[in-house]
Amino acid sequence: MHDLTTNFVSRLRARDPEAWFELWETFGPILRAQLARWGRGRIGPETVADLSQETLAALSGAIDRHDPSKGARFSTWLLAIAKYTLSDEMDKRYAQKRGSGVKPLSLSAQDDDGPRFDVEGGERPDEEYESLVFEAKVDAALRQVERSVGFEDFEAFRQRVLEGQKGKAVAEALGASEATISRRASRAREALRAALGDVFSKYSFTDEDWAELPRNGLELNPKKGLDASFDEAVAEIWLRASRRRQQGQRS
Amino acid sequence: MTLVGSGILLLFFGAIMAIIIPAILIWIAVRAVGFIFSVVGMGTKTIRFGGGSLIRFVKGMLNDVVSLLSGLISAALALVLGLTNIMILRGKAVKHYFTAVEDESVAVVQCAYRLAIGHPLRLFGMGPALSNIERRLPAMITGPSGTRRGTSQVPTSGSEGDGFEGYRILSQLPTGGSGALLHVARPTSEKADELRARGIAVPERVVIKAFSLVTGSTLPQIVRESRALEAAGRLGLVLEHRLDESAFHYVMPFVAGVTLDVTAAKLHEHSGNEGLGAADLNNAICHSRDLARILGHFHSEGLWHKDIKPSNLIVGPAGLHVVDLGLVTPLASAMTLTTHGTEYYRDPELVRLAMKGVKVHQVDGAKFDIYGSGAVLYTLLENSFPAHGSLSRFNLPSPRALQFVVRKAMAEMDSRYEAAGHMAQDLEFLLASEDLWSVQPAQLPSYRGTLPAPEDVSHRAPSNHQAPYHTPGGTDWVEVVSKHTDAGPATSAAHAAGWSSPPISPRRSLNRNSRRRRRRGVAKSLALAGLGVLSAVFYLALFTQAFHQKNLASDLGTNPMHEPSTARPSNQRVMPQIVMPQYEMPRNGVGSPGLRSEGEYRTPQLDDPDGTGSIGDGIFQPSLLQVLSALPHQSSVLVAGPNTSYASTLREELIQAGLLAVALDTSISVETRREWMAGVQVQLGSGLLSDEGARVRVIAWQQVSAPELDALIWVTGDDPVRAEVIHFEDASDH
């Protein structure tokens, strides 16, 4: 496992608020989307929002017991806890309705029996969920770049690469020469490569997690000839993520 | 005939009589009952009300009898279950069932009270007295000693001076997220005089927001609501307030209107996927500009609203109003930052800082309000919230400069507008422009660096800023800040702000150049014109030469290689290149296959049946056409190259044209395409297919690594764009 992963997990275990914020910012929307999918018809959006916070709180409790060396993917582990939290909530509701005194399962049960969704719900991490997690990681890297490079550099990158506008149009919009726009976009691209490495180091427990990058066209090796391919891949992922979020809004 | 007519008439009259006669009978019955009651001395008036009372009495009695019986049964069952659980030692279940027994018992007692006392007394007109006792008695028993009578209860409609001295309660509003009770009220004449004497403009109606520990509010809520009251009073948001040991309320003016999310939906009602029309766009900018100005006023008074979102913004007859003081915080507060706010309209940075335990005065709270106002503008333009935060994509057409304003407002803290007034000035600039769509972000005052320092902006408040209003506004309540102007929403705020300079149009700002500068410009233009004439002669010569080459190539059936583009000056106009295997696609959409440029859309010109193409407005591209036509249907053609945006556009357009399943045949996975792209890029680097060595490498690579690939269109260059085509089958034959 990468050093950064170990450090990040250590920070989570040490209850570092910044680390928890990062986790919340990156995966909060995914957990909501996933919980909304599972809980459709059973729980409303407010509960989903509460649950996603609870899920992170549950994560906080479970992180001490988590052993990244067991080989589970980060996304799988997160999903297991999310699903468990939903089951727990449903149990609580039924218990309240019935007044039967059914004791909601505790998280420690998960460690003993394994994730419940595997056993009972049959809900395994599907392709859509994996895509969501991957896109969230790329999103996190883009946000990191937005924070680290200047506004003008990121704006040039956004318009030129993400939105696919022509160099001349971007230059006119931002009142700079095309060469300047190209330089700015290039700086942001390099920052993005570094940020992707950083983000995937934090949220990857296995080699399989890491392999997602080249598989999606995001080669971190900064060969000049591959810039175009890299740009196109980033733009596609961003577009896909935007559309997915838009669809999420509609539903 | 006559018989049939008579029959129909009879039927008609029969039907009418069938309706009228029962109605008359019912009326007679009611009158008769009225008469009986009047005979016994109750009078006609009593009958009207008494009839209703009687129905309520009967209904109430029946309900309560049923409730009493069901309560008794439930209590008995719960008791049995509770006792059973005692025996099997299930502690939690026992507690649960005995709580249920208790609840059911209370319900049974209440039913019994109503059956024996409540309903009969109400039937005889003692309802009001009974209501007071029923309301006060439980509070007297359960409430803490010393609770003030006036503030701990829930006043009823029509009450005067009951809960809130000096105000007559008119109605209740739905409670918001804070859990406070909201009453619409009218100030009494004495209260109005008192407020006027204090120099406060007295609104016709007010909203009273009331918190009470008795009605479920919590102390932190009360503290939070009360901490910005003094400053809010200075802003005219709050008329007065009262706080005691268990309750707290404040009074705000009321305004009618609709929330901005409703307004946004209405603006988009007719536009669909076309984006806002000119008038609606203008309105949206006006609302956003008004918001920025009001926020500037808040900030200049040392306040931070902290919950800017469309549902907290009201569009009333007098313009935009900012509402809900629930989270208003003094910018210099020494309290710890909290994460309160609304997701998607709250800067995630706020959460990060709050989680770190940062104090309010250590951050620039005004900038978080600016983030919210950027998100609000996004909502106006897109009719949806920015689900992707600052990375949110614009899906509907809107002016680039306006999109830039949104991004600038939602940018990283250091890059964000320094003050809300700066955002207002950018929007003012856009409103004054003759063609909103032609304004470039670089022309905005904030980009040109022509804005005043933040301190100069923030301390100039809107001159006619006045008191808050209130509106039910759908499902939630709101308190609002109002600006009184005579004009409508779209124009009113143009005169509302005291700090902004007069509107400056881009054209006018450009015309501000001095005469000297103008003269210099004229000289420059003349020189450029001369240069242009020379260039035109040069290009004409080149064009003629190119045609000679084309004719020669056609005659000989050969494919003379084209000179690399780097050999030409970068600003040179692109000539049609009709040689195999490479092409140049001119910019500006002239004859290019469906490329978009400068907002222009051109349909692909590839379906030319005879393959001769056309010259004129379009550029002749027979080679590309020939290659594509020569390929079997469903061929795999990779469209790639360093110019990714043109490549993807070309790819989409070719697919849309339906000529061939070019490039992205659905059977080709994304991964395979990426592998191919990477492979080609490795072979070509930044080179061109016209480079013989590079071509050989690509062909060799294709034979080994991508044999199923039939052709490659390699898009490179930016100005001019070049599209080179290689058909692998033909190329390998050679």
Side-chain angles (χ1 to χ4, degrees), chain A residues 181-209:
Chain A
I181 295 300
S182 183
R183 270 198 305 278
R184 286 178 184 170
S186 180
R187 275 200 293 268
R189 184 187 301 114
E190 291 318 304
L192 181 60
R193 279 200 170 104
L196 281 168
D198 183 40
V199 168
F200 275 78
S201 298
K202 278 180 195 165
Y203 307 122
S204 297
F205 290 165
T206 63
D207 291 341
E208 205 184 340
D209 289 330

Tab-separated table of all heavy atoms in Angstrom, chain A residues 181-209:
chain	number	residue	atom	x	y	z
A	181	ILE	N	-2.421	31.058	-23.213
A	181	ILE	CA	-3.494	30.125	-22.818
A	181	ILE	C	-2.939	28.702	-22.792
A	181	ILE	O	-3.204	27.935	-21.859
A	181	ILE	CB	-4.686	30.215	-23.808
A	181	ILE	CG1	-5.333	31.599	-23.730
A	181	ILE	CG2	-5.706	29.125	-23.547
A	181	ILE	CD1	-5.882	31.974	-22.382
A	182	SER	N	-2.150	28.384	-23.808
A	182	SER	CA	-1.581	27.048	-23.892
A	182	SER	C	-0.666	26.782	-22.686
A	182	SER	O	-0.701	25.702	-22.095
A	182	SER	CB	-0.809	26.936	-25.199
A	182	SER	OG	-0.317	25.650	-25.341
A	183	ARG	N	0.122	27.779	-22.316
A	183	ARG	CA	1.024	27.628	-21.157
A	183	ARG	C	0.219	27.432	-19.868
A	183	ARG	O	0.537	26.589	-19.046
A	183	ARG	CB	1.922	28.859	-21.027
A	183	ARG	CG	3.241	28.763	-21.781
A	183	ARG	CD	4.238	29.786	-21.257
A	183	ARG	NE	3.722	31.142	-21.281
A	183	ARG	CZ	3.712	31.932	-22.354
A	183	ARG	NH1	4.191	31.479	-23.499
A	183	ARG	NH2	3.233	33.156	-22.296
A	184	ARG	N	-0.822	28.255	-19.739
A	184	ARG	CA	-1.645	28.160	-18.514
A	184	ARG	C	-2.309	26.787	-18.421
A	184	ARG	O	-2.321	26.158	-17.358
A	184	ARG	CB	-2.736	29.231	-18.531
A	184	ARG	CG	-2.225	30.627	-18.262
A	184	ARG	CD	-3.395	31.597	-18.349
A	184	ARG	NE	-2.977	32.969	-18.194
A	184	ARG	CZ	-3.772	34.003	-18.411
A	184	ARG	NH1	-5.007	33.819	-18.815
A	184	ARG	NH2	-3.337	35.231	-18.237
A	185	ALA	N	-2.866	26.355	-19.539
A	185	ALA	CA	-3.533	25.045	-19.547
A	185	ALA	C	-2.533	23.943	-19.232
A	185	ALA	O	-2.839	22.981	-18.525
A	185	ALA	CB	-4.198	24.804	-20.884
A	186	SER	N	-1.342	24.131	-19.745
A	186	SER	CA	-0.295	23.132	-19.530
A	186	SER	C	0.085	23.051	-18.046
A	186	SER	O	0.264	21.966	-17.494
A	186	SER	CB	0.915	23.491	-20.387
A	186	SER	OG	1.920	22.570	-20.202
A	187	ARG	N	0.186	24.226	-17.414
A	187	ARG	CA	0.506	24.245	-15.977
A	187	ARG	C	-0.582	23.514	-15.193
A	187	ARG	O	-0.298	22.713	-14.296
A	187	ARG	CB	0.606	25.691	-15.487
A	187	ARG	CG	1.968	26.327	-15.694
A	187	ARG	CD	2.146	27.526	-14.767
A	187	ARG	NE	1.253	28.628	-15.087
A	187	ARG	CZ	1.566	29.642	-15.911
A	187	ARG	NH1	2.763	29.672	-16.487
A	187	ARG	NH2	0.714	30.608	-16.138
A	188	ALA	N	-1.830	23.802	-15.544
A	188	ALA	CA	-2.942	23.152	-14.830
A	188	ALA	C	-2.936	21.647	-15.082
A	188	ALA	O	-3.219	20.853	-14.185
A	188	ALA	CB	-4.269	23.754	-15.282
A	189	ARG	N	-2.564	21.245	-16.311
A	189	ARG	CA	-2.530	19.818	-16.635
A	189	ARG	C	-1.494	19.097	-15.766
A	189	ARG	O	-1.767	18.022	-15.225
A	189	ARG	CB	-2.202	19.625	-18.111
A	189	ARG	CG	-2.231	18.163	-18.554
A	189	ARG	CD	-1.745	18.002	-19.977
A	189	ARG	NE	-2.529	18.764	-20.929
A	189	ARG	CZ	-2.070	19.799	-21.631
A	189	ARG	NH1	-0.812	20.200	-21.493
A	189	ARG	NH2	-2.848	20.437	-22.487
A	190	GLU	N	-0.335	19.724	-15.656
A	190	GLU	CA	0.713	19.105	-14.844
A	190	GLU	C	0.270	19.016	-13.387
A	190	GLU	O	0.512	18.023	-12.711
A	190	GLU	CB	2.025	19.898	-14.965
A	190	GLU	CG	2.675	19.786	-16.340
A	190	GLU	CD	2.628	18.360	-16.903
A	190	GLU	OE1	3.115	17.445	-16.217
A	190	GLU	OE2	2.067	18.147	-17.998
A	191	ALA	N	-0.388	20.091	-12.932
A	191	ALA	CA	-0.886	20.078	-11.548
A	191	ALA	C	-1.928	18.984	-11.372
A	191	ALA	O	-1.992	18.335	-10.327
A	191	ALA	CB	-1.491	21.432	-11.206
A	192	LEU	N	-2.718	18.769	-12.410
A	192	LEU	CA	-3.753	17.740	-12.329
A	192	LEU	C	-3.130	16.351	-12.264
A	192	LEU	O	-3.597	15.493	-11.507
A	192	LEU	CB	-4.708	17.845	-13.528
A	192	LEU	CG	-5.853	16.834	-13.559
A	192	LEU	CD1	-6.744	16.968	-12.322
A	192	LEU	CD2	-6.712	17.004	-14.805
A	193	ARG	N	-2.082	16.152	-13.040
A	193	ARG	CA	-1.406	14.839	-12.986
A	193	ARG	C	-0.917	14.572	-11.552
A	193	ARG	O	-1.103	13.480	-11.013
A	193	ARG	CB	-0.234	14.817	-13.960
A	193	ARG	CG	-0.644	14.539	-15.397
A	193	ARG	CD	0.557	14.051	-16.209
A	193	ARG	NE	0.144	13.566	-17.506
A	193	ARG	CZ	0.295	14.228	-18.658
A	193	ARG	NH1	0.889	15.417	-18.656
A	193	ARG	NH2	-0.112	13.714	-19.797
A	194	ALA	N	-0.308	15.621	-10.984
A	194	ALA	CA	0.198	15.461	-9.619
A	194	ALA	C	-0.951	15.217	-8.645
A	194	ALA	O	-0.869	14.357	-7.752
A	194	ALA	CB	0.973	16.711	-9.218
A	195	ALA	N	-2.044	15.965	-8.839
A	195	ALA	CA	-3.196	15.835	-7.930
A	195	ALA	C	-3.829	14.455	-8.051
A	195	ALA	O	-4.257	13.871	-7.050
A	195	ALA	CB	-4.221	16.917	-8.238
A	196	LEU	N	-3.890	13.935	-9.281
A	196	LEU	CA	-4.462	12.594	-9.467
A	196	LEU	C	-3.632	11.556	-8.709
A	196	LEU	O	-4.177	10.658	-8.067
A	196	LEU	CB	-4.516	12.251	-10.957
A	196	LEU	CG	-5.667	12.865	-11.752
A	196	LEU	CD1	-5.436	12.681	-13.243
A	196	LEU	CD2	-7.003	12.256	-11.353
A	197	GLY	N	-2.330	11.719	-8.825
A	197	GLY	CA	-1.443	10.806	-8.098
A	197	GLY	C	-1.698	10.884	-6.603
A	197	GLY	O	-1.791	9.873	-5.909
A	198	ASP	N	-1.864	12.097	-6.133
A	198	ASP	CA	-2.087	12.326	-4.703
A	198	ASP	C	-3.423	11.717	-4.249
A	198	ASP	O	-3.481	10.981	-3.262
A	198	ASP	CB	-2.074	13.850	-4.478
A	198	ASP	CG	-2.228	14.199	-3.025
A	198	ASP	OD1	-1.631	13.485	-2.202
A	198	ASP	OD2	-2.935	15.170	-2.717
A	199	VAL	N	-4.477	12.016	-5.006
A	199	VAL	CA	-5.812	11.535	-4.620
A	199	VAL	C	-5.890	10.013	-4.682
A	199	VAL	O	-6.399	9.364	-3.759
A	199	VAL	CB	-6.892	12.157	-5.546
A	199	VAL	CG1	-8.233	11.470	-5.360
A	199	VAL	CG2	-7.034	13.639	-5.273
A	200	PHE	N	-5.348	9.445	-5.762
A	200	PHE	CA	-5.421	7.979	-5.880
A	200	PHE	C	-4.528	7.296	-4.847
A	200	PHE	O	-4.784	6.164	-4.459
A	200	PHE	CB	-5.086	7.530	-7.306
A	200	PHE	CG	-6.292	7.575	-8.195
A	200	PHE	CD1	-6.747	8.781	-8.703
A	200	PHE	CD2	-7.024	6.431	-8.486
A	200	PHE	CE1	-7.890	8.854	-9.488
A	200	PHE	CE2	-8.168	6.486	-9.267
A	200	PHE	CZ	-8.600	7.701	-9.771
A	201	SER	N	-3.506	8.010	-4.421
A	201	SER	CA	-2.679	7.437	-3.351
A	201	SER	C	-3.453	7.372	-2.047
A	201	SER	O	-3.305	6.450	-1.262
A	201	SER	CB	-1.444	8.303	-3.124
A	201	SER	OG	-0.674	8.329	-4.281
A	202	LYS	N	-4.293	8.375	-1.852
A	202	LYS	CA	-5.063	8.411	-0.600
A	202	LYS	C	-6.172	7.373	-0.590
A	202	LYS	O	-6.453	6.757	0.430
A	202	LYS	CB	-5.700	9.793	-0.429
A	202	LYS	CG	-4.779	10.826	0.128
A	202	LYS	CD	-5.534	12.133	0.231
A	202	LYS	CE	-4.569	13.277	0.441
A	202	LYS	NZ	-5.202	14.565	0.186
A	203	TYR	N	-6.853	7.249	-1.725
A	203	TYR	CA	-8.049	6.416	-1.745
A	203	TYR	C	-7.867	5.137	-2.548
A	203	TYR	O	-8.771	4.716	-3.264
A	203	TYR	CB	-9.229	7.220	-2.301
A	203	TYR	CG	-9.461	8.528	-1.597
A	203	TYR	CD1	-9.446	9.733	-2.284
A	203	TYR	CD2	-9.687	8.554	-0.226
A	203	TYR	CE1	-9.660	10.937	-1.633
A	203	TYR	CE2	-9.896	9.751	0.428
A	203	TYR	CZ	-9.877	10.932	-0.279
A	203	TYR	OH	-10.081	12.125	0.371
A	204	SER	N	-6.711	4.562	-2.482
A	204	SER	CA	-6.509	3.284	-3.157
A	204	SER	C	-5.862	2.307	-2.180
A	204	SER	O	-4.797	2.578	-1.647
A	204	SER	CB	-5.593	3.464	-4.372
A	204	SER	OG	-6.192	4.304	-5.315
A	205	PHE	N	-6.548	1.203	-1.974
A	205	PHE	CA	-5.996	0.182	-1.087
A	205	PHE	C	-5.309	-0.932	-1.877
A	205	PHE	O	-4.519	-1.669	-1.341
A	205	PHE	CB	-7.122	-0.431	-0.230
A	205	PHE	CG	-7.675	0.499	0.813
A	205	PHE	CD1	-8.884	0.211	1.436
A	205	PHE	CD2	-6.994	1.650	1.192
A	205	PHE	CE1	-9.401	1.062	2.397
A	205	PHE	CE2	-7.516	2.512	2.150
A	205	PHE	CZ	-8.723	2.202	2.742
A	206	THR	N	-5.692	-1.053	-3.131
A	206	THR	CA	-5.177	-2.193	-3.901
A	206	THR	C	-4.613	-1.721	-5.242
A	206	THR	O	-4.853	-0.591	-5.668
A	206	THR	CB	-6.321	-3.194	-4.206
A	206	THR	OG1	-7.268	-2.527	-5.029
A	206	THR	CG2	-6.983	-3.697	-2.958
A	207	ASP	N	-3.912	-2.613	-5.905
A	207	ASP	CA	-3.390	-2.305	-7.243
A	207	ASP	C	-4.532	-2.092	-8.235
A	207	ASP	O	-4.406	-1.346	-9.191
A	207	ASP	CB	-2.494	-3.448	-7.742
A	207	ASP	CG	-1.200	-3.510	-6.936
A	207	ASP	OD1	-0.866	-2.494	-6.293
A	207	ASP	OD2	-0.542	-4.574	-6.950
A	208	GLU	N	-5.632	-2.786	-7.962
A	208	GLU	CA	-6.796	-2.663	-8.845
A	208	GLU	C	-7.318	-1.219	-8.840
A	208	GLU	O	-7.732	-0.686	-9.865
A	208	GLU	CB	-7.872	-3.608	-8.342
A	208	GLU	CG	-8.847	-4.037	-9.406
A	208	GLU	CD	-9.953	-4.891	-8.799
A	208	GLU	OE1	-9.758	-5.433	-7.702
A	208	GLU	OE2	-11.010	-4.989	-9.437
A	209	ASP	N	-7.294	-0.597	-7.644
A	209	ASP	CA	-7.697	0.810	-7.548
A	209	ASP	C	-6.812	1.669	-8.445
A	209	ASP	O	-7.279	2.542	-9.165
A	209	ASP	CB	-7.575	1.316	-6.103
A	209	ASP	CG	-8.631	0.722	-5.185
A	209	ASP	OD1	-9.716	0.417	-5.682
A	209	ASP	OD2	-8.358	0.575	-3.985
